[in-house]
Amino acid sequence: MYKKLACLVVMFITCYSNAQQIEVCSNCNISSIKEAIAQAKDFDTILIQKGTYKDHNIVVDKPLTIIGKNYPVIDGELKGEIFTITSNHVTLDGLFIINVGTSYTTDFAAVRVKRSNHFIIKNLVLEKLFFGIYLEKSNNGKVFHNKIIGDAVEEYNSGNGIQLWYCKNVEIERNHIEHVRDGIYLEFSDHCVIKNNVSVNNVRYGLHFMFSNDDDYIDNTFENNGAGVAVMFSKRIKMINNLFKENWGPASYGMLLKEINDSEIRGNTFQKNTIGINIEGSNRIKYTNNNFMNNGWAIKVRGACYTNSFTQNNFLYNSFDIAYNSRVNDNTFEGNFWSNYTGYDLNKDGVGDVPYRPVKLFSYIVNRTPETIILMRSMFIDLIDFSEKVSPVFTPDNLMDNAPAIQQITW
């Protein structure tokens, strides 16, 4: 086993040590990227000088490093896909790719990685695209520091910025994505890390998971999208230190959780969203150290959500903190700070002496009849909320925080 591994390492080092550099430019011996790839040997480097190269359907079928110097423009002239990578150990670096073709039967992409391993896609600028970077059954790669700017207006005729389909162990880090359908989309993709990306002004979601497990997304910004993030039919997702901001609209939210289980939501900020988190059919999720600030609803819980815990979160100046559409509650709320709490702390231990009920009768009424929102902040509403607080009839009577924090929590 060790001898076999040693032989592979020696072969790898030998290939790299014999690698050549091929230069591409209008006055060079080679002026075409396709010709450079055809003449290159495994592990060679192709250096593309500044200029405009009108080309598409460029297939990279051997291990190569392709570097653009001073951002040469690769113009696909709207004729189809531009780069298709089918080999392991390929790096694309420093290219300006524009004019990807559009097809409603074929998902043309600026860069497609197909059944490949150990790829690096970095420092690309993609404009006028259908799909941006499309990873298909590819593993152990990195998509780093790319700028993807689409011009999507409607969902049905636009593609995604970065798409993963049946991928594993991919890092997506420090990309900027805007004006596409979904900023980043994962389908059947596991053990991926999505970190420090900015996904803004997208038509549907900033980030979208479907049937993907054991993924982490950390320190990302999702602002002014159709909705911030949708996590659907997935398990064991870690959502840590992200910012969900100004995702507004009649059906919008910072985050949608639908049919997900055994996950963690920690250290995030939900600010000025129509709904901070919209939850449906999601179980055994820990919500800890999150800030919910100035949202319409901080959290809206729909049916079939069990054994979730909300601990040490700040609920600050939301129109509604929690909305429930059921009289049954199996979730726990403990040790959170609620800016609407009006209790007292006689023994000065930092914990309110009377429990806090975060669900108001008025939120129940608005859930059933949205037009009643016009009555918000009227004295009538204060009266019915008070009556429900004293004797709950419509809201779960066991849904309360028995140890509300007196001061905003820091961590």
Side-chain angles (χ1 to χ4, degrees):
M1 177 67 186
Y2 288 113
K3 286 183 178 178
K4 189 175 179 181
L5 184 62
C7 287
L8 287 172
V9 171
V10 170
M11 286 174 62
F12 195 76
I13 293 171
T14 303
C15 288
Y16 265 112
S17 62
N18 294 327
Q20 304 292 317
Q21 179 171 293
I22 299 174
E23 193 170 351
V24 180
C25 68
S26 57
N27 299 320
C28 298
N29 293 331
I30 298 176
S31 58
S32 156
I33 300 169
K34 285 180 182 172
E35 185 184 352
I37 293 171
Q39 292 198 13
K41 296 182 176 61
D42 289 358
F43 299 100
D44 278 358
T45 296
I46 296 175
L47 181 64
I48 305 173
Q49 296 288 355
K50 189 174 177 63
T52 299
Y53 302 82
K54 295 188 176 183
D55 213 343
H56 68 286
N57 291 341
I58 303 168
V59 178
V60 185
D61 56 359
K62 59 186 76 168
L64 292 174
T65 299
I66 300 176
I67 300 174
K69 189 173 183 181
N70 297 322
Y71 279 93
V73 177
I74 318 298
D75 184 351
E77 300 183 288
L78 304 176
K79 292 181 178 177
E81 196 146 280
I82 299 183
F83 279 96
T84 305
I85 295 169
T86 61
S87 167
N88 297 334
H89 298 287
V90 171
T91 297
L92 280 190
D93 182 3
L95 304 172
F96 191 152
I97 302 175
I98 63 170
N99 291 330
V100 180
T102 298
S103 166
Y104 301 120
T105 56
T106 304
D107 294 337
F108 289 139
V111 177
R112 182 183 300 271
V113 183
K114 196 172 180 179
R115 296 176 184 273
S116 302
N117 284 289
H118 307 294
F119 55 88
I120 299 174
I121 312 295
K122 66 177 182 179
N123 300 322
L124 304 185
V125 178
L126 312 180
E127 292 187 3
K128 297 185 184 301
L129 51 96
F130 189 44
F131 281 76
I133 299 170
Y134 198 129
L135 311 180
E136 179 183 325
K137 294 189 176 180
S138 297
N139 307 316
N140 305 307
K142 191 166 185 175
V143 179
F144 176 73
H145 199 264
N146 302 288
K147 190 170 187 179
I148 302 172
I149 302 176
D151 49 9
V153 177
E154 295 166 312
E155 285 184 28
Y156 74 93
N157 60 2
S158 55
N160 301 322
I162 299 173
Q163 174 145 336
L164 283 71
W165 185 66
Y166 283 101
C167 296
K168 287 185 179 178
N169 300 315
V170 177
E171 296 177 34
I172 301 172
E173 190 169 347
R174 295 189 183 280
N175 301 283
H176 180 102
I177 310 151
E178 63 179 76
H179 290 113
V180 292
R181 181 172 60 194
D182 291 347
I184 304 169
Y185 177 65
L186 288 81
E187 188 172 357
F188 302 107
S189 294
D190 304 334
H191 300 286
C192 298
V193 177
I194 300 154
K195 191 173 181 182
N196 277 313
N197 301 282
V198 176
S199 187
V200 299
N201 302 321
N202 296 302
V203 174
R204 191 166 62 180
Y205 302 121
L207 171 62
H208 188 182
F209 293 86
M210 291 290 284
F211 309 106
S212 298
N213 303 321
D214 300 295
D215 300 315
D216 300 347
Y217 67 95
I218 304 165
D219 293 323
N220 302 283
T221 296
F222 307 103
E223 183 175 350
N224 195 34
N225 299 289
V229 174
V231 186
M232 307 170 81
F233 308 104
S234 301
K235 298 176 184 176
R236 298 179 298 276
I237 307 293
K238 290 184 179 178
M239 305 163 241
I240 300 171
N241 295 344
N242 301 285
L243 173 62
F244 304 79
K245 187 178 178 185
E246 297 186 1
N247 297 290
W248 277 106
S252 189
Y253 32 75
M255 181 194 294
L256 167 68
L257 304 179
K258 185 176 176 60
E259 306 291 341
I260 82 160
N261 296 311
D262 304 302
S263 296
E264 180 182 1
I265 299 175
R266 173 165 49 87
N268 303 281
T269 296
F270 299 85
Q271 184 176 4
K272 294 184 178 179
N273 303 284
T274 304
I275 303 170
I277 307 180
N278 195 32
I279 312 169
E280 185 175 348
S282 299
N283 308 299
R284 300 181 300 279
I285 299 172
K286 295 179 180 177
Y287 301 78
T288 312
N289 296 153
N290 300 289
N291 286 316
F292 297 90
M293 306 165 61
N294 302 107
N295 300 285
W297 285 266
I299 296 173
K300 189 176 262 191
V301 181
R302 299 185 186 277
C305 296
Y306 302 109
T307 326
N308 300 292
S309 65
F310 298 82
T311 309
Q312 298 267 306
N313 302 286
N314 288 315
F315 291 84
L316 306 168
Y317 318 111
N318 303 291
S319 298
F320 302 106
D321 289 326
I322 309 290
Y324 250 63
N325 67 351
S326 167
R327 292 209 64 240
V328 178
N329 173 51
D330 186 48
N331 305 303
T332 59
F333 293 82
E334 187 167 344
N336 302 287
F337 175 75
W338 311 86
S339 59
N340 291 324
Y341 180 62
T342 56
Y344 41 84
D345 178 19
L346 294 179
N347 61 1
K348 306 296 181 187
D349 64 352
V351 179
D353 293 342
V354 293
Y356 177 69
R357 291 184 178 279
V359 179
K360 309 297 183 189
L361 176 57
F362 185 47
S363 74
Y364 175 83
I365 295 171
V366 172
N367 249 349
R368 298 177 67 89
T369 314
E371 294 80 5
T372 57
I373 192 74
I374 196 171
L375 298 172
M376 193 168 181
R377 306 193 196 291
S378 69
M379 183 172 288
F380 171 71
I381 298 304
D382 292 340
L383 286 172
I384 64 170
D385 278 344
F386 180 74
S387 66
E388 178 71 6
K389 178 179 177 182
V390 173
S391 180
V393 174
F394 296 99
T395 58
D397 55 2
N398 68 338
L399 199 163
M400 64 178 76
D401 190 333
N402 286 304
I406 287 295
Q407 294 187 334
Q408 186 173 332
I409 301 163
T410 57
W411 46 79

